[in-house]
Amino acid sequence: MTRSSKRLHLDLWRVLVLSIPLFFLPFTLYTFEPDKAALLRAVIILLAATFLLSRGPLPPVDAPTLLAVSLWVWTGLAVAASMEPARSLWGEPRWGQGWITLTAFVLLFLMARRALATTARQRAVLDAIIAASVPVSLYAVAQAIGLDPFGFSAPWERAQSTFSHANALGGYLVMVMPLAWARWREADQKLPWAAVIGIQALALLLTLSRSAWIAGAAAAWLFAMIYARSKVARITLAGAGLAGVATITVLTLLPTAPPTAPEWWQSLSGLVRLSSPTVQVRLNVWMATLRAIAEAPLFGWGPETLNLALPPYIPAELALYGNLKAVAGRAHNDLLEWALFAGLPAAVLYAALLATGIQAGIQRSTHLPLLIGLGAGVFNHLLDVSTITSSMLVWLYLGILTAAPAKVHARARPGPIARTAVLVGAGGLIMLVSVRPVVADTFGRSALALHTIGATEAAAEAVAWAARLDVRPTAYTWLQADIHGEDARSDLESALIRTPTDLDLVDRMVEIERVRALQTGEWTAAYAQCDILIEASPANPDVHMRCGDLRLWARDPEGARRFYEEAAALAPAYYQPYANLATVHRWLEDPVLADHYAERAEAARRAWEQAINQR
């Protein structure tokens, strides 16, 4: 590379790691992750363009490169075999982590192995990562004291800053704090770096993210043990580990914090308590994911298809915590997601790539902070969701840890035609994979806002533009159904041919049929949609209750009773079926059974509230 092109390339790396954590668009439908994904793709395209136009060396053909490229190719095959290829290609609307985003991550990894092979360039990029965490952390503190101009977080609630959830912020901070700690250790002026670490630590505490706390502590302890050279250091670290385990054990054995206790005490009280709702949600989703993986072990169900693949395997107990809405389309475990989305070979390839990067880092003693950050990210991704920002850092850290300085730098300089073609191609790709999705998402947000205030015609026009611009055929079908009602029947039917297990779309079809049946008195079509709903998720109590509600609308209390009893049998601890059964028996003029089920509903509701208040 020439000096100017090297400077431009390094500046683009800085732009990438500075902008992704900070970036969000409050006027788009999902605000955080899809917007970050769009920006990530755009910057990676620019990085790739400058890389191609330079005379810098290509990435080496070795084990890390072969693993990353093999993972990318295998996932591409999984996209081709996906139950919804468009969603797998572009990503689930709320997350944007489809194959195109994976392509950006793989390119980032390959370019980092060459472009960030020197200590000076690594230092420049890592310092930019630390710099980005400062405003992110300050915004988290501002949210905690009630100074959030966007209203994402109420005062003294869990801080989320510029991320979609507090856990996502926590996962990001535990990956960055080791870098700041390393700069503090080597700095002559320690106070500024101490202030940076202090604000990061405060923001991490305000997230109340137990998965991040555990991941950060586990990674720091593990790699400190690996790098410990003296016997005294190892004994000290072993003692610290035992003290940590003892503390967690004591917290687990202590009585659960009452609902009126401060939220931080509830978080500590339920740190690893199996009865905690967050733990139960994960265990139930992991079980459902394992069942789904067993049905498609080779290529999986396709990237980003969790909400479509899991309904037939959902345990009934998950209804107590909101069913699939409780996990927002993620398995909360990276390896399970790789296996679900692209098959067991993809999970093995990803694990092998991580192991290769960690092994390379262990061999270089100067990379302890990076190893701790990578380990914290990997551990957190095994307990929680992987976001655009945390995944970017994982791939970047892997690239730096496996960086390979080139011995030969000679590469033909592209001619003017080639340079023009690369620049035009980069601009076109940015418009396609970054600008277009954001514009579509903006129209979607506008449609939802207009529909909320009753401006139906304007909402219909906005959602039509969103559907035209988004390349995923079913991305806005749910919103079209909400706005158009009966007029959206054909769109819903087309979408359900593609994704028959999309419970949100099936439920909207049930609603359309219910409205029509109330007008015509003919309930056969509505009942048929209910049968489809149950077939899509047979162990889901909420599905059975939906069908029971439909029978009540049809003035068929006996039919409703049957569905409510099935829901209660599936999830005996779920209070809602008992409440509905009490209503049915009052309708049937059976006060004894009505009172019996009302009492059961109240007892189950109290037990549920006590459980749900255990964070």
Side-chain angles (χ1 to χ4, degrees):
M1 293 187 182
T2 64
R3 182 173 297 179
S4 59
S5 63
K6 282 183 178 180
R7 188 180 301 114
L8 173 61
H9 197 69
L10 183 59
D11 287 342
L12 284 173
W13 280 106
R14 288 184 175 123
V15 167
L16 177 71
V17 298
L18 281 167
S19 61
I20 298 300
L22 292 166
F23 184 69
F24 66 93
L25 295 173
F27 50 78
T28 53
L29 190 58
Y30 297 106
T31 302
F32 296 100
E33 291 301 306
D35 302 335
K36 292 179 187 291
L39 179 61
L40 173 93
R41 296 172 199 148
V43 180
I44 293 296
I45 289 169
L46 292 174
L47 271 169
T50 59
F51 190 84
L52 288 173
L53 293 175
S54 70
R55 301 182 63 188
L58 294 173
V61 180
D62 56 7
T65 295
L66 292 175
L67 286 169
V69 172
S70 298
L71 178 63
W72 176 74
V73 171
W74 191 269
T75 308
L77 295 175
V79 171
S82 172
M83 61 192 306
E84 174 57 302
R87 180 184 295 220
S88 294
L89 182 66
W90 290 91
E92 207 267 352
R94 288 169 294 183
W95 296 97
Q97 293 191 38
W99 188 73
I100 291 176
T101 302
L102 174 64
T103 303
F105 286 140
V106 172
L107 286 173
L108 179 153
F109 168 74
L110 296 176
M111 289 187 292
R113 298 196 66 206
R114 284 300 198 208
L116 304 181
T118 65
T119 303
R121 295 175 74 81
Q122 290 173 8
R123 172 64 61 85
V125 173
L126 296 179
D127 281 352
I129 292 173
I130 299 170
S133 72
V134 175
V136 167
S137 300
L138 288 172
Y139 183 26
V141 175
Q143 286 178 330
I145 60 177
L147 298 177
D148 185 357
F150 300 103
F152 292 137
S153 180
W156 304 114
E157 286 188 354
R158 302 178 68 191
Q160 67 179 77
S161 188
T162 56
F163 289 78
S164 57
H165 193 273
N167 286 354
L169 172 60
Y172 162 72
L173 288 172
V174 294
M175 296 186 72
V176 180
M177 289 180 69
L179 308 182
W181 166 77
R183 295 292 276 132
W184 171 82
R185 283 193 65 192
E186 63 189 32
D188 294 328
Q189 298 293 327
K190 295 187 181 295
L191 186 59
W193 291 108
V196 169
I197 296 171
I199 194 67
Q200 290 173 338
L202 179 58
L204 179 60
L205 289 173
L206 291 172
T207 65
L208 299 179
S209 175
R210 292 166 293 184
S211 58
W213 296 347
I214 292 171
W221 181 85
L222 175 63
F223 289 112
M225 280 289 287
I226 291 173
Y227 274 94
R229 295 291 178 259
S230 68
K231 186 176 180 180
V232 173
R234 288 177 180 169
I235 292 174
T236 303
L237 287 167
L242 289 173
V245 171
T247 302
I248 291 175
T249 303
V250 169
L251 290 171
T252 303
L253 295 175
L254 287 174
T256 304
T260 54
E263 199 166 1
W264 63 268
W265 175 240
Q266 293 183 46
S267 290
L268 286 175
S269 173
L271 193 62
V272 290
R273 199 181 298 273
L274 290 179
S275 61
S276 166
T278 53
V279 175
Q280 284 297 308
V281 166
R282 282 162 174 73
L283 292 176
N284 278 286
V285 170
W286 292 345
M287 286 190 293
T289 304
L290 288 170
R291 292 179 190 137
I293 292 168
E295 293 293 324
L298 188 59
F299 289 109
W301 298 84
E304 299 284 87
T305 57
L306 183 140
N307 278 352
L308 307 180
L310 251 56
Y313 310 99
I314 294 173
E317 293 78 12
L318 195 58
L320 275 69
Y321 310 104
N323 273 314
L324 284 180
K325 292 179 180 178
V327 294
R330 315 310 290 180
H332 288 64
N333 183 294
D334 245 13
L335 290 179
L336 287 180
E337 279 189 7
W338 277 109
L340 177 72
F341 291 162
L344 291 172
V348 171
L349 286 168
Y350 183 65
L353 179 60
L354 291 174
T356 302
I358 291 170
Q359 182 183 21
I362 290 174
Q363 294 171 355
R364 304 174 184 179
S365 59
T366 57
H367 282 160
L368 176 60
L370 266 181
L371 274 174
I372 295 174
L374 175 62
V378 171
F379 289 154
N380 190 61
H381 288 177
L382 294 177
L383 299 171
D384 216 302
V385 299
S386 54
T387 64
I388 292 294
T389 306
S390 61
S391 295
M392 175 193 74
L393 292 181
V394 165
W395 286 95
L396 178 60
Y397 289 2
L398 283 172
I400 293 175
L401 289 171
T402 60
K407 297 178 181 178
V408 179
H409 294 269
R411 187 154 63 89
R413 184 177 179 84
I417 296 177
R419 290 199 297 271
T420 302
V422 168
L423 293 174
V424 170
L429 281 174
I430 289 172
M431 292 297 294
L432 176 65
V433 304
S434 296
V435 176
R436 181 173 174 172
V438 169
V439 174
D441 210 20
T442 303
F443 275 111
R445 177 65 175 265
S446 301
L448 184 62
L450 291 166
H451 177 58
T452 302
I453 63 174
T456 305
E457 290 186 8
E461 184 66 23
V463 78
W465 274 104
R468 286 190 205 106
L469 289 169
D470 199 294
V471 296
R472 294 162 297 195
T474 62
Y476 295 96
T477 305
W478 65 273
L479 188 52
Q480 290 172 315
D482 287 352
I483 292 171
H484 294 292
E486 171 70 24
D487 294 337
R489 174 186 295 276
S490 61
D491 292 326
L492 269 176
E493 289 173 345
S494 299
L496 287 170
I497 291 173
R498 289 174 168 272
T499 56
T501 54
D502 190 326
L503 297 186
D504 285 339
L505 297 187
V506 178
D507 190 61
R508 282 170 168 82
M509 182 62 85
V510 171
E511 179 61 17
I512 286 174
E513 295 292 1
R514 182 188 72 82
V515 173
R516 170 183 277 192
L518 286 173
Q519 296 169 347
T520 64
E522 176 53 55
W523 291 87
T524 305
Y527 292 164
Q529 289 298 325
C530 253
D531 292 340
I532 294 172
L533 197 58
I534 289 176
E535 184 180 355
S537 189
N540 187 341
D542 284 336
V543 165
H544 291 268
M545 289 206 304
R546 182 76 167 100
C547 294
D549 294 344
L550 192 68
R551 291 314 197 275
L552 278 186
W553 279 101
R555 299 184 177 278
D556 177 13
E558 285 292 344
R561 180 178 60 82
R562 177 170 58 86
F563 283 106
Y564 293 148
E565 287 175 347
E566 290 172 355
L570 286 168
Y574 194 15
Y575 72 91
Q576 194 62 56
Y578 301 125
N580 290 12
L581 281 167
T583 301
V584 166
H585 283 286
R586 288 193 187 95
W587 197 334
L588 293 172
E589 298 182 352
D590 187 343
V592 175
L593 277 177
D595 291 342
H596 167 73
Y597 281 117
E599 290 172 2
R600 291 193 66 177
E602 181 59 24
R605 185 187 62 78
R606 285 197 298 267
W608 175 82
E609 287 182 346
Q610 184 177 2
I612 209 73
N613 281 315
Q614 300 176 37
R615 283 191 22 84

